[in-house]
Amino acid sequence: MKRLEPPMLNRALSEPCTFALLQWPALVGLLSIDQPGLPWLALRILVGLWLAAMLVAAYTGGRGMGFGNAMLLQCGLVAAAWWMHPSAWAFAWLAAIPLLMLVAQRLRLRRLETAG
């Protein structure tokens, strides 16, 4: 097993959090903007394109399918929690997110260890 240098280790550990901070506001914005009018439609399209770009970026750049799938599943859990917000089920969906963060970190670390 290869020992990772601190910059590579820091990047692998922080990437899931970075992707979450870039994806989830766009997802919540996409779900919450429901105003009529052309400016709101343009904003929804812009936010949707940003979310799509972040999801595609999760699969590219040497991160692998597992990391991308974990980020996509996290977005699904955030959307499920958004739709079930007044109920207790929202907490169940949100409770699974830290587990997926750990899975994404482990997959990223494993990919870096086997790449070198």
Side-chain angles (χ1 to χ4, degrees), residues 42-82:
L43 183 61
R44 265 191 99 159
I45 290 171
L46 183 66
V47 169
L49 288 173
W50 176 259
L51 179 62
M54 288 293 99
L55 289 173
V56 168
Y59 284 98
T60 60
R63 291 176 190 89
M65 290 292 292
F67 183 83
N69 289 341
M71 293 293 106
L72 183 64
L73 190 53
Q74 282 182 18
C75 279
L77 291 175
V78 171
W82 175 266

Side-chain angles (χ1 to χ4, degrees), residues 6-25:
M8 290 174 54
L9 181 64
N10 290 341
R11 182 175 177 188
L13 293 176
S14 66
E15 273 189 349
C17 300
T18 304
F19 272 93
L21 286 173
L22 293 173
Q23 288 175 355
W24 298 349

Side-chain angles (χ1 to χ4, degrees), residues 93-107:
W93 294 117
L94 291 175
I97 290 174
L99 295 175
L100 278 173
M101 293 285 247
L102 178 65
V103 167
Q105 284 179 339
R106 297 297 300 161
L107 288 169

